[in-house]
């Protein structure tokens, strides 16, 4: 019962992690409404799955950035898209990407971004 009814789904786990990251950004004084590049990480069990995902990548605003590999995920990719990092924006973008990733039998590993710098924003 716990695993099927109470345990968070992968997308719900993503949303929980997103809330934690946003909390940390807020603690650093980051302006979450400022649009910036956000990297989203995806992994696959086989290189064929990864290559198929890359070749069919046609997502609204997402672009391929780099192939990545580590002990955690050997066949991974980093995607990038410019958007704000409010909870609603990140969960909405994650949900769009999540559906496409699952269709290709991949795993959504999370996202990252950089802090905004108020001084840099004033000069732009």
């Amino acid at each position: 019962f716990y695993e099927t009814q109470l345990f968070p789904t992968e997308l719900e786990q993503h949303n929980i992690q997103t809330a934690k990251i946003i909390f940390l950004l807020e603690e650093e004084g980051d302006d979450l409404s400022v649009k910036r590049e956000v990297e989203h990480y995806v992994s696959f069990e086989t290189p064929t799955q990864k290559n198929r995902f890359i070749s069919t990548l046609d997502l609204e605003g997402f672009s391929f950035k780099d192939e990545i590999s580590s002990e955690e995920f050997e066949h991974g990719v980093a995607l990038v898209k410019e958007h704000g990092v409010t909870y609603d924006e990140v969960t909405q973008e994650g949900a769009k990407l999540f559906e496409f990733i699952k269709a290709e039998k991949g795993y959504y590993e999370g996202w990252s971004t950089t802090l905004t710098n108020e001084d840099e924003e004033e000069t732009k």
Side-chain angles (χ1 to χ4, degrees):
F1 178 78
Y2 175 77
E3 289 180 7
T4 60
Q5 302 298 319
L6 298 176
F7 194 75
T9 65
E10 286 183 67
L11 187 55
E12 290 168 336
Q13 289 176 359
H14 163 265
N15 293 344
I16 292 167
Q17 188 63 33
T18 292
K20 289 178 183 177
I21 294 169
I22 289 172
F23 174 78
L24 294 172
L25 290 171
E26 288 174 329
E27 279 203 330
E28 292 294 326
D30 193 39
D31 181 357
L32 302 178
S33 66
V34 174
K35 292 188 179 213
R36 70 204 71 192
E37 283 193 351
V38 178
E39 290 185 15
H40 297 266
Y41 307 105
V42 184
S43 67
F44 300 91
E45 291 182 8
T46 68
T48 303
Q49 290 171 325
K50 178 189 73 173
N51 293 335
R52 185 174 55 236
F53 176 80
I54 292 170
S55 68
T56 60
L57 183 63
D58 187 24
L59 297 171
E60 182 181 315
F62 288 95
S63 58
F64 173 78
K65 181 175 181 181
D66 198 8
E67 291 189 32
I68 54 176
S69 67
S70 69
E71 286 184 22
E72 293 178 42
F73 42 93
E74 188 174 336
H75 310 288
V77 294
L79 306 175
V80 67
K81 182 174 182 178
E82 186 172 307
H83 58 79
V85 292
T86 63
Y87 179 81
D88 290 338
E89 288 175 286
V90 175
T91 55
Q92 184 179 31
E93 295 298 335
K96 286 183 206 175
L97 189 55
F98 191 80
E99 286 182 38
F100 188 69
I101 293 166
K102 285 299 157 192
E104 297 295 330
K105 304 203 181 345
Y107 303 95
Y108 185 77
E109 301 292 345
W111 62 277
S112 69
T113 191
T114 57
L115 291 169
T116 59
N117 184 331
E118 291 180 35
D119 296 334
E120 289 179 5
E121 292 303 316
E122 289 176 13
T123 60
K124 288 184 179 179

